[in-house]
Amino acid sequence: MGLYFGSFNPIHTGHLIVAQYMIENTDIDTLWFVVSRLNPLKTPEGLLEDEKRFELVRLATEDNPLTEACDIELSLPSPSYTVDTLAELEKRCPDTEFCLIMGQDNISTFHLWKDYRSILSSHRIFVYPRPHCESCELLSHPSVTLTSAPMIDISSTYIRQCVAENKSIRYIVAEKVREKIERENYYK
């Protein structure tokens, strides 16, 4: 089971392309998009409410039987720490092997995560390349695999800016996500 953590503020086609790549090019069978509350290393500015972001992820993934929106972090204490979420998932699904999916920008700050060594010793991490990211020492760790996933230079920040400036986000997000954002006036 692949776990793709993020605020998904909002989820976009880059996230979906990376997920599909991981399913098709690693031994991941299915993938959960784990919607996080607030990343302890980020600020809450511009963060859409948890339930609304989860709904956007659900809409983006509902047509793919190999992907699913996961709201486990929304029921856990805030701030969200990946090591705690993994422990809870392992309690709920003891026979499932969980591995993480993260961008190269996140692996370079992974040493700042709570109990990161514990995560590395118990879970595999598949890293997708990100534009303008330097190599880091953790990329050579035996639990870490740098994949050849396509580099997609789309950001949720860019999407929020487009919405705020009344520019189209068609094709940058799934159509159902675009419709929901426009209908509900998210990010205005």
Side-chain angles (χ1 to χ4, degrees), residues 4 34 36-37 40 43 76 87 115 124 126 129-130 133 155 181 184:
Y4 193 168
V34 182
S36 301
R37 283 184 184 266
T43 60
L76 296 175
D115 296 335
R124 291 181 299 148
F126 293 100
R130 295 278 295 169
C133 283
S155 73
I181 288 171
E184 301 295 331

Side-chain angles (χ1 to χ4, degrees), residues 23-41:
I23 291 167
E24 292 181 356
N25 294 283
T26 68
D27 58 355
I28 292 172
D29 297 318
T30 55
L31 185 141
W32 287 351
F33 286 90
V34 182
V35 180
S36 301
R37 283 184 184 266
L38 175 62
N39 180 328
L41 302 177

Side-chain angles (χ1 to χ4, degrees), residues 19-188:
Q20 191 65 36
Y21 176 90
M22 294 298 176
I23 291 167
E24 292 181 356
N25 294 283
T26 68
D27 58 355
I28 292 172
D29 297 318
T30 55
L31 185 141
W32 287 351
F33 286 90
V34 182
V35 180
S36 301
R37 283 184 184 266
L38 175 62
N39 180 328
L41 302 177
K42 293 185 179 179
T43 60
E45 186 178 335
L47 188 66
L48 195 64
E49 292 90 348
D50 298 342
E51 293 75 21
K52 292 176 180 177
R53 289 182 292 112
F54 175 77
E55 176 62 12
L56 293 176
V57 173
R58 191 193 65 72
L59 288 170
T61 60
E62 69 183 359
D63 292 337
N64 185 341
L66 301 178
T67 63
E68 188 175 322
C70 176
D71 64 354
I72 188 169
E73 285 206 343
L74 304 184
S75 63
L76 296 175
S78 189
S80 302
Y81 293 105
T82 302
V83 69
D84 299 332
T85 304
L86 288 167
E88 183 62 29
L89 284 168
E90 289 166 345
K91 280 196 300 195
R92 295 183 188 188
C93 308
D95 297 328
T96 302
E97 178 189 348
F98 294 103
C99 43
L100 281 71
I101 295 161
M102 69 175 64
Q104 191 173 349
D105 51 333
N106 286 321
I107 198 71
S108 65
T109 60
F110 191 66
H111 64 283
L112 301 174
W113 292 25
K114 178 182 176 186
D115 296 335
Y116 80 96
R117 286 187 176 97
S118 170
I119 296 171
L120 279 172
S121 68
S122 305
H123 302 278
R124 291 181 299 148
I125 301 174
F126 293 100
V127 177
Y128 58 90
R130 295 278 295 169
H132 318 296
C133 283
E134 299 288 324
S135 186
C136 72
E137 186 178 318
L138 282 174
L139 285 174
S140 61
H141 191 282
S143 296
V144 177
T145 303
L146 178 62
T147 68
S148 298
M151 269 199 253
I152 301 161
D153 200 7
I154 300 173
S155 73
S156 296
T157 301
Y158 172 74
I159 294 166
R160 293 191 306 272
Q161 288 172 338
C162 286
V163 172
E165 296 170 6
N166 292 317
K167 294 179 180 175
S168 176
I169 57 171
R170 187 179 302 274
Y171 311 121
I172 303 172
V173 298
E175 186 61 15
K176 291 177 185 177
V177 171
R178 183 190 66 78
E179 290 170 355
K180 180 79 170 177
I181 288 171
E182 290 179 359
R183 186 172 51 252
E184 301 295 331
N185 287 313
Y186 293 162
Y187 306 114
K188 289 282 183 175

